[in-house]
């Protein structure tokens, strides 16, 4: 079946630190991969995506590369800011039927000034 | 333009009661999804509409859950005989053409069953 496993949180970093949040997946075929972010008091927002192997998604200084050989899509940012504090969800979109999103359990990130 | 809206934002009910949760998708979006997010978990798929029809309801946990979208726009998720385990945030998402397009999420309805 389809599943996503992501790094357990919470994660606490200082401002300007390097961030990695690990994400691995199990899927039938080659799904599209996503990172969503949920800021405090707000709804889920798409952060970045990659639709095929070796694609790199990027947005707001965040990056993630679709690695077929390791079935991974790790989220990275070189220098985090306090405003990056949020819950981050890794997800895949199934390739058949409804093409629904399958999410990981989320990682809460807190950045201290 | 307006995003996906959901009402109510919070709903508290007693065990055994019936509830309805409403989703207004982005105007013109033909695809609509319901997800459920339990505390500390990621959202889980419930049901997918393409237009007026439920194209995939495989995520509905049991027959107490039902959803409709009679005119291909607004959708209502209906839960009968609520149980404490139904407490969660119910999220709605819509996309413009169908399954391959980006899903835009609403703010959710937080359901608490006492």
């Amino acid at each position: 079946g389809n599943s996503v496993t992501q790094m357990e949180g919470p994660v606490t970093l200082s401002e300007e630190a390097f961030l990695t949040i690990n994400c691995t997946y199990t899927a039938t075929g080659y799904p599209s991969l996503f990172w969503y972010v949920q800021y405090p008091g707000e709804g889920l927002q798409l952060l970045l995506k990659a639709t095929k192997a070796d694609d790199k998604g990027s947005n707001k200084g965040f990056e993630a590369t679709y690695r077929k050989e390791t079935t991974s899509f790790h989220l990275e940012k070189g220098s985090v800011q306090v405003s990056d504090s949020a819950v981050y969800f890794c997800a895949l979109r199934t390739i058949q039927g409804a093409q629904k999103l399958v999410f990981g359990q989320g990682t809460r990130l807190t950045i201290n000034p | 333009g307006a995003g996906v809206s959901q009402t109510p934002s919070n709903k508290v009910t007693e065990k055994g009661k019936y509830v309805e949760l409403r989703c207004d998708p982005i105007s013109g979006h033909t695809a609509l999804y319901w997800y459920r997010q339990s505390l500390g978990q990621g959202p889980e798929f419930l049901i997918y509409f393409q237009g007026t029809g439920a194209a995939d309801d495989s995520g509905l946990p049991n027959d107490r859950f039902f959803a409709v979208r009679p005119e291909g726009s607004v959708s209502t998720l209906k839960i009968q005989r609520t149980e404490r385990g139904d407490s969660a945030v119910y999220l709605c998402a819509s996309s413009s053409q169908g399954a391959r397009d980006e899903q835009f999420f609403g703010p959710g309805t937080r359901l608490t069953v006492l």
Side-chain angles (χ1 to χ4, degrees):
Chain A
N2 298 296
S3 66
V4 174
T5 302
Q6 64 181 99
M7 178 176 173
E8 290 199 19
V11 174
T12 302
L13 296 172
S14 297
E15 206 166 20
E16 299 183 3
F18 183 85
L19 169 71
T20 300
I21 301 178
N22 290 337
C23 172
T24 58
Y25 67 91
T26 302
T28 303
Y30 301 108
S32 295
L33 301 175
F34 303 83
W35 278 99
Y36 280 82
V37 59
Q38 191 167 37
Y39 297 105
E42 298 185 17
L44 273 172
Q45 301 174 26
L46 178 63
L47 179 60
L48 55 84
K49 68 178 182 182
T51 57
K52 61 183 187 297
D54 300 324
D55 267 3
K56 178 186 285 187
S58 61
N59 187 24
K60 300 182 180 180
F62 291 89
E63 293 183 339
T65 301
Y66 190 141
R67 300 288 188 200
K68 184 178 66 174
E69 61 277 7
T70 54
T71 62
S72 65
F73 193 55
H74 305 320
L75 183 68
E76 297 182 335
K77 186 173 185 180
S79 176
V80 292
Q81 306 300 313
V82 172
S83 57
D84 294 327
S85 298
V87 182
Y88 292 81
F89 294 93
C90 185
L92 65 82
R93 187 171 62 201
T94 62
I95 61 173
Q96 295 176 328
Q99 299 192 27
K100 60 201 176 199
L101 292 168
V102 176
F103 289 87
Q105 74 271 31
T107 302
R108 181 174 298 279
L109 174 67
T110 301
I111 307 300
N112 293 321
Chain B
V4 178
S5 63
Q6 293 186 245
T7 54
S9 55
N10 281 284
K11 176 70 177 178
V12 180
T13 191
E14 294 180 342
K15 180 176 178 298
K17 299 291 188 183
Y18 168 83
V19 297
E20 290 189 349
L21 312 178
R22 176 188 169 107
C23 171
D24 275 275
I26 293 171
S27 178
H29 279 194
T30 59
L32 186 145
Y33 298 79
W34 284 98
Y35 294 84
R36 178 168 72 172
Q37 186 175 14
S38 300
L39 191 62
Q41 301 297 315
E44 293 181 314
F45 170 78
L46 294 176
I47 187 169
Y48 160 61
F49 287 90
Q50 182 58 251
T52 60
D56 184 345
D57 64 358
S58 61
L60 295 178
N62 51 60
D63 61 6
R64 295 187 298 106
F65 289 74
F66 188 72
V68 295
R69 194 186 185 200
E71 297 178 358
S73 178
V74 170
S75 176
T76 305
L77 179 65
K78 308 181 180 192
I79 310 174
Q80 298 178 324
R81 304 184 303 281
T82 52
E83 300 177 357
R84 293 194 179 88
D86 299 335
S87 296
V89 176
Y90 290 80
L91 298 170
C92 177
S94 69
S95 65
S96 61
Q97 291 293 330
R100 289 198 172 275
D101 298 303
E102 178 183 345
Q103 295 180 28
F104 294 86
F105 283 82
T109 294
R110 182 176 297 278
L111 175 66
T112 302
V113 182
L114 301 177

